[in-house]
Amino acid sequence: MRVLLYRGDGQIAAWAEGLARAMPGVQTLGWQEGEQLGACNYAVLWNPSHGLLAQLAQAAQLKAIFLMGAGADTILKFGDALPSAPIVRLGDTGMAVQMAEYVAHATLRYFRRFDEYEQQARHGLWSPLPVYAKEEFTVGVMGLGKLGLRVVETMRAFEFPVRGWSRTPKELHGVDCFAGMEQLDDFLRGTRVLVSLLPLTSETNNLLDRRRLSTLPQGAYVINVARGAQLAEPDLLTLIRSGHIAGATLDVFRNEPLPAPHPFWDEPRITITPHISALTVRSEAVRQIADKIAAFEADQPVDDIVDRNLGY
Ligand code: NDP
Ligand code: OXD
């Protein structure tokens, strides 16, 4: 069996080693811009180029494409140039716990006023601040998939009121569930800490615009760990500067790396991280991909196949 490995950053050596260990007998091959692609049965890739996808579309023996990450927007953006083989994304593989760590940290930092205590300490000030009421700190998670559900579970363990929003209706113990565009405003109205864990699709692009962000209550906090294009960046900034939104922790941006002159860099109420909230754990990803290839070979059902119509 021949498996193509490709990453936009060229770092495939460790993936090749991992796959060789997980699938004895596998032959891995690489590809570089301008090269003719060799025959392959599967492709495992991240940030492919148009040129690579055009060649994969002609690869007669290709059975499936595996992504080295969770977000299918990274490949679906190529639209008509996509090969017809199924596209399979990573399902959790160690990312859900990292998301839970990240969101818990950002929420607790705001809720327990750690930034303010940090400032006070720098000024040698010993001065307990009023405690926020937990019942007024509803955490609202947009996207109740592999990652969102783990965040919901973690925030419930801290005894925050938790609500969730998804495309299809859900019933989750101890969680107020909302679904669809018609329930989005109600969801936002009662959310003090908003977390986005939605995929980027035509429906979620620019979803968090000025009107929707204004629907959040005064003093709300925004955590975006999904995709930057879901958030209207100038609108967030305006609402933070007006005092309606207290601040934000952002891991993802419309343009990455966040450009040097971007106003977010100068806004102290915005915490910026460089798209690290949940990193691919290569060993777990390789194991999952190897298992899914085995399932394809045995004509067994395979999880996490991307629905091209839905965009995730
Ligand atoms: P899943 O596909 O498991 O879950 C997606 C969730 O979003 C589902 O609950 C789905 O609803 C919901 N959803 C999709 N479209 C809509 C919509 N139009 N309206 C309301 N809800 C919607 O994805 P994951 O949890 O695995 O990953 C989520 C995203 O996180 C990824 O797509 C990626 O962009 C991002 N990510 C970011 C990383 C980072 O480091 N910053 C790392 C990994 C992922 P339903 O349940 O009804 O289908
Ligand atoms: C992903 C990501 O989607 O890294 O996996 O953002």
Side-chain angles (χ1 to χ4, degrees), residues 46 69-71 95 227 275 278 280:
W46 193 240
M95 286 186 275
R227 286 293 183 265
H275 201 136
T280 297

Side-chain angles (χ1 to χ4, degrees), residues 46 68-74 90 95 226-227 252 275 278-280:
W46 193 240
M68 294 171 179
D73 56 302
T74 50
L90 290 181
M95 286 186 275
R227 286 293 183 265
V252 288
H275 201 136
L279 300 170
T280 297

